Amino acid sequence: MSRRRPSSVRAPVTVKKVSLPVRRQTIAAMNRSSRGVPTILIPLLLSAPLGAAELVVRDLSAGIELLPTGFTYTLTDPTGSRTGQDSFSSGYGAFVGSVWSIAGPGDSSGFLLGGDLTYATYAYTNGGAYTTYGGRLLGGYAYAISDRWTLSAVVDAGAGSGTFNIVGTSAFKNYTANGLYYSYAARLGASFAVNDSLLVDVDAGYRNTQSNLSAGGTDLTLTGTGICAAIGFRYRFSSSPSPLE
């Protein structure tokens, strides 16, 4: 008698169907998860200034200037007062000073404050000359467009002493007048950083200078106005950004 081999019993397998909306939600969640980091960075990248650098100015400066040469004058003596126009054949200046920026951490623009000691000499007819010594304060605004280039707009106001010497001829004797001068200007400039410490600086603008001089019972007033320009070098103490506090 043969025995019937028992047949194996298989449990029914139930396949759970996932509805289409659920599958779409799952895939979308996975995609959102994989894109999480870039999504967070996008607002940060958009908020960062493109091409701008942090403004850091802590400089010693020195340079030479081209000064306006035309002037009007008023000469007053016991016989009366005379006015007219004249000009120097040339006008040059030199300066040494410092300039510092006032800007917050990470700011690409900010205010500038500084000052210079100045010297100027103007050549006059027949070997005459007008020479000044003084100082000036400056203030303005600057914008660092990159790590190398910075643009600035400044105004300055200064004062000092001056000596005007006219060489005598057969018609009159030597004339030397001394007194004070006052000067102010508005200038636009740009500086280029050769390296972290050395910068080249250029600017141009409009200057007004008034001098009140006197000698031997005469008073001489000179008022010069016109285009001015300068080129110089700066030494930067530090280019490290301001610390975050």
PDB file of all heavy atoms in Angstrom, residues 79-92:
ATOM      1  N   THR A  79      46.617 154.365  -0.701  1.00  0.00           N
ATOM      2  CA  THR A  79      46.080 155.128  -1.835  1.00  0.00           C
ATOM      3  C   THR A  79      44.761 154.579  -2.361  1.00  0.00           C
ATOM      4  O   THR A  79      44.121 155.219  -3.197  1.00  0.00           O
ATOM      5  CB  THR A  79      47.101 155.149  -2.986  1.00  0.00           C
ATOM      6  OG1 THR A  79      47.308 153.816  -3.461  1.00  0.00           O
ATOM      7  CG2 THR A  79      48.441 155.730  -2.501  1.00  0.00           C
ATOM      8  N   GLY A  80      44.367 153.394  -1.929  1.00  0.00           N
ATOM      9  CA  GLY A  80      43.122 152.825  -2.412  1.00  0.00           C
ATOM     10  C   GLY A  80      43.189 151.322  -2.562  1.00  0.00           C
ATOM     11  O   GLY A  80      44.093 150.650  -2.043  1.00  0.00           O
ATOM     12  N   SER A  81      42.241 150.766  -3.323  1.00  0.00           N
ATOM     13  CA  SER A  81      42.131 149.320  -3.509  1.00  0.00           C
ATOM     14  C   SER A  81      42.042 149.006  -4.999  1.00  0.00           C
ATOM     15  O   SER A  81      41.347 149.705  -5.751  1.00  0.00           O
ATOM     16  CB  SER A  81      40.901 148.791  -2.780  1.00  0.00           C
ATOM     17  OG  SER A  81      40.748 147.414  -2.967  1.00  0.00           O
ATOM     18  N   ARG A  82      42.733 147.992  -5.393  1.00  0.00           N
ATOM     19  CA  ARG A  82      42.733 147.556  -6.786  1.00  0.00           C
ATOM     20  C   ARG A  82      42.462 146.054  -6.858  1.00  0.00           C
ATOM     21  O   ARG A  82      42.959 145.292  -6.024  1.00  0.00           O
ATOM     22  CB  ARG A  82      44.079 147.878  -7.456  1.00  0.00           C
ATOM     23  CG  ARG A  82      44.380 149.363  -7.540  1.00  0.00           C
ATOM     24  CD  ARG A  82      45.756 149.637  -8.096  1.00  0.00           C
ATOM     25  NE  ARG A  82      46.827 149.179  -7.214  1.00  0.00           N
ATOM     26  CZ  ARG A  82      47.248 149.858  -6.160  1.00  0.00           C
ATOM     27  NH1 ARG A  82      46.680 151.000  -5.813  1.00  0.00           N
ATOM     28  NH2 ARG A  82      48.243 149.390  -5.430  1.00  0.00           N
ATOM     29  N   THR A  83      41.704 145.641  -7.855  1.00  0.00           N
ATOM     30  CA  THR A  83      41.386 144.224  -8.045  1.00  0.00           C
ATOM     31  C   THR A  83      41.750 143.811  -9.464  1.00  0.00           C
ATOM     32  O   THR A  83      41.860 144.642 -10.371  1.00  0.00           O
ATOM     33  CB  THR A  83      39.896 143.939  -7.804  1.00  0.00           C
ATOM     34  OG1 THR A  83      39.119 144.672  -8.755  1.00  0.00           O
ATOM     35  CG2 THR A  83      39.490 144.332  -6.391  1.00  0.00           C
ATOM     36  N   GLY A  84      41.953 142.514  -9.651  1.00  0.00           N
ATOM     37  CA  GLY A  84      42.269 142.007 -10.980  1.00  0.00           C
ATOM     38  C   GLY A  84      42.396 140.500 -10.987  1.00  0.00           C
ATOM     39  O   GLY A  84      42.106 139.818  -9.990  1.00  0.00           O
ATOM     40  N   GLN A  85      42.819 139.988 -12.115  1.00  0.00           N
ATOM     41  CA  GLN A  85      43.014 138.545 -12.290  1.00  0.00           C
ATOM     42  C   GLN A  85      44.439 138.282 -12.753  1.00  0.00           C
ATOM     43  O   GLN A  85      45.024 139.078 -13.487  1.00  0.00           O
ATOM     44  CB  GLN A  85      42.026 137.982 -13.312  1.00  0.00           C
ATOM     45  CG  GLN A  85      40.580 138.044 -12.885  1.00  0.00           C
ATOM     46  CD  GLN A  85      39.655 137.418 -13.914  1.00  0.00           C
ATOM     47  OE1 GLN A  85      40.026 137.204 -15.061  1.00  0.00           O
ATOM     48  NE2 GLN A  85      38.431 137.111 -13.482  1.00  0.00           N
ATOM     49  N   ASP A  86      44.990 137.168 -12.304  1.00  0.00           N
ATOM     50  CA  ASP A  86      46.345 136.790 -12.677  1.00  0.00           C
ATOM     51  C   ASP A  86      46.458 135.280 -12.537  1.00  0.00           C
ATOM     52  O   ASP A  86      45.477 134.599 -12.187  1.00  0.00           O
ATOM     53  CB  ASP A  86      47.360 137.511 -11.789  1.00  0.00           C
ATOM     54  CG  ASP A  86      48.723 137.661 -12.450  1.00  0.00           C
ATOM     55  OD1 ASP A  86      48.991 136.921 -13.421  1.00  0.00           O
ATOM     56  OD2 ASP A  86      49.518 138.494 -11.984  1.00  0.00           O
ATOM     57  N   SER A  87      47.622 134.752 -12.773  1.00  0.00           N
ATOM     58  CA  SER A  87      47.820 133.309 -12.624  1.00  0.00           C
ATOM     59  C   SER A  87      49.281 133.015 -12.339  1.00  0.00           C
ATOM     60  O   SER A  87      50.178 133.771 -12.742  1.00  0.00           O
ATOM     61  CB  SER A  87      47.375 132.560 -13.877  1.00  0.00           C
ATOM     62  OG  SER A  87      48.192 132.892 -14.978  1.00  0.00           O
ATOM     63  N   PHE A  88      49.509 131.928 -11.632  1.00  0.00           N
ATOM     64  CA  PHE A  88      50.854 131.386 -11.452  1.00  0.00           C
ATOM     65  C   PHE A  88      51.202 130.543 -12.673  1.00  0.00           C
ATOM     66  O   PHE A  88      50.307 130.009 -13.346  1.00  0.00           O
ATOM     67  CB  PHE A  88      50.930 130.547 -10.187  1.00  0.00           C
ATOM     68  CG  PHE A  88      50.622 131.303  -8.932  1.00  0.00           C
ATOM     69  CD1 PHE A  88      49.404 131.140  -8.278  1.00  0.00           C
ATOM     70  CD2 PHE A  88      51.547 132.181  -8.379  1.00  0.00           C
ATOM     71  CE1 PHE A  88      49.123 131.827  -7.114  1.00  0.00           C
ATOM     72  CE2 PHE A  88      51.274 132.875  -7.221  1.00  0.00           C
ATOM     73  CZ  PHE A  88      50.059 132.708  -6.586  1.00  0.00           C
ATOM     74  N   SER A  89      52.491 130.404 -12.923  1.00  0.00           N
ATOM     75  CA  SER A  89      52.899 129.560 -14.051  1.00  0.00           C
ATOM     76  C   SER A  89      52.779 128.080 -13.717  1.00  0.00           C
ATOM     77  O   SER A  89      52.668 127.246 -14.622  1.00  0.00           O
ATOM     78  CB  SER A  89      54.325 129.903 -14.480  1.00  0.00           C
ATOM     79  OG  SER A  89      55.231 129.742 -13.398  1.00  0.00           O
ATOM     80  N   SER A  90      52.796 127.720 -12.436  1.00  0.00           N
ATOM     81  CA  SER A  90      52.625 126.324 -12.021  1.00  0.00           C
ATOM     82  C   SER A  90      52.252 126.286 -10.549  1.00  0.00           C
ATOM     83  O   SER A  90      52.515 127.240  -9.798  1.00  0.00           O
ATOM     84  CB  SER A  90      53.899 125.502 -12.265  1.00  0.00           C
ATOM     85  OG  SER A  90      54.975 125.991 -11.474  1.00  0.00           O
ATOM     86  N   GLY A  91      51.655 125.182 -10.145  1.00  0.00           N
ATOM     87  CA  GLY A  91      51.304 124.982  -8.735  1.00  0.00           C
ATOM     88  C   GLY A  91      51.367 123.514  -8.369  1.00  0.00           C
ATOM     89  O   GLY A  91      50.673 122.689  -8.984  1.00  0.00           O
ATOM     90  N   TYR A  92      52.237 123.185  -7.407  1.00  0.00           N
ATOM     91  CA  TYR A  92      52.416 121.797  -6.991  1.00  0.00           C
ATOM     92  C   TYR A  92      52.383 121.723  -5.464  1.00  0.00           C
ATOM     93  O   TYR A  92      52.741 122.688  -4.774  1.00  0.00           O
ATOM     94  CB  TYR A  92      53.746 121.227  -7.498  1.00  0.00           C
ATOM     95  CG  TYR A  92      53.881 121.226  -8.989  1.00  0.00           C
ATOM     96  CD1 TYR A  92      54.580 122.231  -9.650  1.00  0.00           C
ATOM     97  CD2 TYR A  92      53.293 120.213  -9.752  1.00  0.00           C
ATOM     98  CE1 TYR A  92      54.695 122.228 -11.030  1.00  0.00           C
ATOM     99  CE2 TYR A  92      53.408 120.204 -11.135  1.00  0.00           C
ATOM    100  CZ  TYR A  92      54.107 121.217 -11.768  1.00  0.00           C
ATOM    101  OH  TYR A  92      54.214 121.208 -13.129  1.00  0.00           O
TER     102      TYR A  92
END
